[in-house]
Amino acid sequence: MKCKRQSDGRAHDHHTLQVMRQQAVKAVREGQSIDSVAAAFGVNKRSVFRWLAAFANGGQTALLAKPIPGRPSKLSDEQMKWIADAVRSKTPQQFCFEFGLWTLDLIRHLIKRKFGINLSVGAMYRVMKVLGFSAQKPKYRAWQQDAALVHTWETETFPAIVLQAKREDAAVYFADESGIR
């Protein structure tokens, strides 16, 4: 027998939960059974009873999403908009930073310089997430790379080196200015 898994309210955002509560109460008031409403929304029957009790005590306002508690943001809406525009349309070098890619630490320094607000890296991560930015991995390909030369190296030059190394019973090492592998 396959059991239907009930959803956890934490999996939904506040607005979705609010709509679920309102629709469930409306469905019960229109004559649907508690069992069918609970099954339709994937919640426990006790949740539906709790929503009905809240509605009976406080009406529609009792079903509304509560504000999320927590510390208010240090950044205003205008500052958040400025940060989003700066990261989206400018480079760090345009703000006199030496590095050419945006990092959380670089954006922190920019905010400190521009607004005098000091944020932790964790807070900066949350700010960027709210603004719709996500971590991006850089491409591991040099911008100076020539595709034709790479193809020649992979298909002709390197196989010739491997062949010569086998003939001479030698090992092939790769070295650059940072080390040998």
Side-chain angles (χ1 to χ4, degrees):
M1 180 171 142
K2 198 171 191 179
C3 296
K4 184 178 181 208
R5 184 179 160 94
Q6 294 172 342
S7 70
D8 186 349
R10 294 172 293 186
H12 303 292
D13 64 270
H14 273 28
H15 178 71
T16 303
L17 287 172
Q18 174 182 315
V19 171
M20 278 176 62
R21 287 189 293 268
Q22 291 169 334
Q23 289 179 347
V25 167
K26 181 180 177 187
V28 171
R29 293 185 77 215
E30 290 176 352
Q32 292 187 31
S33 71
I34 301 287
D35 291 330
S36 67
V37 171
F41 287 100
V43 295
N44 193 296
K45 289 189 298 187
R46 286 176 290 189
S47 296
V48 178
F49 280 117
R50 201 171 52 251
W51 298 341
L52 287 168
F55 178 76
N57 290 331
Q60 280 289 9
T61 54
L63 301 175
L64 298 178
K66 310 287 186 281
I68 300 172
R71 179 181 221 156
S73 176
K74 290 182 177 182
L75 298 168
S76 69
D77 290 342
E78 295 82 29
Q79 290 168 330
M80 294 281 275
K81 183 180 179 335
W82 185 89
I83 293 165
D85 290 341
V87 172
R88 193 172 288 117
S89 62
K90 296 205 176 3
T91 66
Q93 285 135 342
Q94 290 173 301
F95 291 103
C96 300
F97 289 110
E98 291 179 18
F99 195 63
L101 295 175
W102 286 115
T103 64
L104 292 178
D105 204 40
L106 217 55
I107 299 168
R108 278 182 58 227
H109 289 301
L110 179 64
I111 291 170
K112 176 76 172 164
R113 186 191 308 165
K114 176 77 175 167
F115 304 117
I117 297 172
N118 200 11
L119 297 172
S120 68
V121 174
M124 198 65 252
Y125 172 81
R126 288 187 295 277
V127 165
M128 297 312 287
K129 188 175 178 182
V130 166
L131 292 175
F133 291 96
S134 63
Q136 303 293 312
K137 290 189 177 185
K139 293 179 181 174
Y140 289 103
R141 191 170 52 117
W143 60 270
Q144 308 97 327
Q145 193 175 77
D146 182 350
L149 289 175
V150 169
H151 181 71
T152 304
W153 165 261
E154 290 174 342
T155 58
E156 298 171 20
T157 310
F158 183 65
I161 292 171
V162 170
L163 214 73
Q164 181 180 352
K166 280 185 181 176
R167 272 185 271 139
E168 297 176 9
D169 197 29
V172 177
Y173 291 97
F174 293 93
D176 64 10
E177 58 277 350
S178 62
I180 296 176
R181 181 165 56 131

